[in-house]
Amino acid sequence: MTRGDKRDQIMQAAETLFTSRRFHEITLDEVAQAAHVGKGTIYRYFKDKDDLFFQTATKGSDDLYAVIRASVPEGVSFEDKLLAVCEQVSAFYRKRREILRMIQDQEGRMPRCGGEMRRRWSERRENVLSAVASVFRDGVEAGQVRSDIAPEVLAGFLLGALRARVRELASHPGGMPPISQVVDFVIHGAVSRGAKESIS
Amino acid sequence: MTRGDKRDQIMQAAETLFTSRRFHEITLDEVAQAAHVGKGTIYRYFKDKDDLFFQTATKGSDDLYAVIRASVPEGVSFEDKLLAVCEQVSAFYRKRREILRMIQDQEGRMPRCGGEMRRRWSERRENVLSAVASVFRDGVEAGQVRSDIAPEVLAGFLLGALRARVRELASHPGGMPPISQVVDFVIHGAVSRGAKESIS
DNA sequence: CCGATGGAACTGACCGGTCAGTATCGCACG
DNA sequence: CGTGCGATACTGACCGGTCAGTTCCATCGG
């Protein structure tokens, strides 16, 4: 068993636990047990509980970023790219429920750990955002996406809408065609085809 | 000083504190001090720390619901209603930053307090959602909003997008025309006018 | 042999929750 | 009016449990 393994075990257990209950309800004994690791070992890899939490969340964010980057197909239409991204994000989100939340919640919280940690937080967030934004940027270049709203802003909208949808589906399982609906909404908006001309 | 006063003081202090740092970082001594109240008094009005937290969040959610209900103007166009709602939600969100987050995070967390609290949580969330959805519902009836996506789903999208935008503005102050952009996006989507026909 | 690990035992700070005591109020009665 | 009394609201020192973080030693693999 190599060096990195223990670390990964711990982080994986931590992610599962931290995303299932609130921070203060998780004991490190629990984490150690779930990771099949001695409690002391945790402190070999992480400074303290907060550090473990933060690194876990950061890792998740990096993973999402990597997934998005790797999954945007080249040389296909805007809609297909959009669909691909939505599917990746949505799948990722379903598998690792709370990570996206952690990412989006960069803002408040985390006051302790000096601006440093705060900075790294928002850096991660911006990475993800700009990865999604690149799809829109391509779309703008191809003349398919409106240029009067910044791609990053559109990316924010998409992520927000996607998140709402995934959550909805989580609490009402069964209900269906989720992703295509999001894509369609992002592309066309809420207005019905017929009424397009009569509005603003 | 009448009966409700202390209770309100406590809840107000609690909201401020709970939304500025993480739950486990807030001590009840702190809450008591901020509310200018003896610690014991908190327990006259709230069963325990969790109860205080929950009731605080619930209250915020109810306030938002009331604000939305009260602010949707009658007998104006769909876009105007949409704009009004966006403005209310956005203003509310700015003033009481984290409440919307609490509402939207009804899902995970809160495992302790038996399904009961969970139920009340999602009830609140649905209230807000359906208040926003009513705008879309009217739009559908008037033939202006597409009927192939449920109004509640559209409401979720809107709230998600709005939230992303408000957050963005919070971390990068200065940047501007926020709400109208959201409205425009929700109505028309991301695709540029010219490209409308060529897509799916 | 040596460094890494498991994990049990320990410690001490911290904080949720309690409760005995105090202040305040409403009211009845002289 | 005042003052005595019961009830209710409130206070904050205190208690006891919990848990982050540390220490220690047996164990293991190389």
Side-chain angles (χ1 to χ4, degrees), chain B residues 12-43:
Chain B
Q12 205 168 316
E15 182 176 317
T16 306
L17 288 170
F18 279 140
T19 56
S20 70
R21 272 173 299 151
R22 292 176 290 179
F23 181 87
H24 72 277
E25 291 176 330
I26 307 299
T27 68
L28 289 183
D29 286 312
E30 221 176 332
V31 175
Q33 196 166 20
H36 307 291
V37 145
K39 180 154 67 149
T41 307
I42 294 177
Y43 288 88

Side-chain angles (χ1 to χ4, degrees), chain A residues 18 22-24 50 98 104 107 109 125 143-144 146 163 167 184 186-192, chain B residues 18 22-24 50 98 101 104 107 109 143-144 146 163 167-168 184 186-192:
Chain A
F18 279 140
R22 293 176 290 179
F23 182 87
H24 71 279
D50 265 350
E98 294 299 299
Q104 292 194 333
E107 27 84 59
R109 323 300 196 204
R125 171 165 163 65
Q144 294 190 292
R146 55 195 298 175
R163 188 169 172 233
R167 159 151 316 144
D184 200 65
V186 169
I187 292 179
H188 294 113
V191 171
S192 66
Chain B
F18 279 140
R22 292 176 290 179
F23 181 87
H24 72 277
D50 267 349
E98 294 300 302
R101 170 214 224 272
Q104 291 194 331
E107 28 82 61
R109 323 301 195 199
Q144 293 189 292
R146 56 196 297 176
R163 186 168 173 232
R167 159 153 315 147
E168 205 61 33
D184 200 65
V186 169
I187 291 179
H188 293 113
V191 171
S192 66

Side-chain angles (χ1 to χ4, degrees), chain B residues 89-158:
Chain B
V89 174
S90 153
F92 183 92
Y93 189 32
R94 260 192 301 262
K95 218 173 313 172
R96 301 171 62 179
R97 316 217 312 109
E98 294 300 302
I99 291 300
L100 214 151
R101 170 214 224 272
M102 288 184 179
I103 299 164
Q104 291 194 331
D105 286 345
Q106 148 269 148
E107 28 82 61
R109 323 301 195 199
M110 311 257 97
R112 160 115 51 264
C113 29
E116 169 58 8
M117 188 178 286
R118 192 76 143 268
R119 209 186 48 57
R120 289 215 271 164
W121 241 161
S122 63
E123 184 183 285
R124 291 309 194 295
R125 171 164 164 65
E126 270 158 35
N127 280 347
V128 171
L129 211 57
S130 94
V132 175
S134 73
V135 173
F136 289 106
R137 224 181 327 263
D138 292 352
V140 172
E141 266 169 40
Q144 293 189 292
V145 173
R146 56 196 297 176
S147 55
D148 58 339
I149 303 183
E152 287 76 14
V153 174
L154 290 174
F157 290 163
L158 172 63

